[in-house]
Amino acid sequence: GRSVPEQVAVAGFDDSPVALRTTPQLTTMRQPFTRIAHEMVHMLLELVDGRPAGHLIMPTELVRRESA
């Protein structure tokens, strides 16, 4: 019984293709999946080589669409 975005804002995460097929289109956060995979492999190889585990904060991007 609520209308989006007039009465409630809706947002998703990962910017999956379905976000473009909803009505209204879904506002979402986008992550750099290719870079995430590359960095994960790099960190895993460092651990295998006996180096300490690192940490990394990856950038995200807000993709504004009609739902929020």
Side-chain angles (χ1 to χ4, degrees):
R2 304 270 185 218
S3 63
V4 176
E6 292 79 19
Q7 294 177 308
V8 63
V10 177
F13 202 81
D14 291 341
D15 196 26
S16 70
V18 73
L20 294 171
R21 294 191 301 264
T22 61
T23 303
Q25 289 186 348
L26 186 63
T27 294
T28 185
M29 294 298 294
R30 181 179 295 148
Q31 299 182 82
F33 287 114
T34 301
R35 182 171 174 209
I36 290 171
H38 173 82
E39 295 295 342
M40 286 175 32
V41 169
H42 178 75
M43 288 179 175
L44 179 59
L45 291 174
E46 287 184 338
L47 285 173
V48 168
D49 285 342
R51 290 178 282 212
H55 72 277
L56 180 63
I57 297 174
M58 303 296 284
T60 58
E61 174 188 0
L62 176 64
V63 181
R64 293 181 184 263
R65 295 195 181 103
E66 301 160 345
S67 70

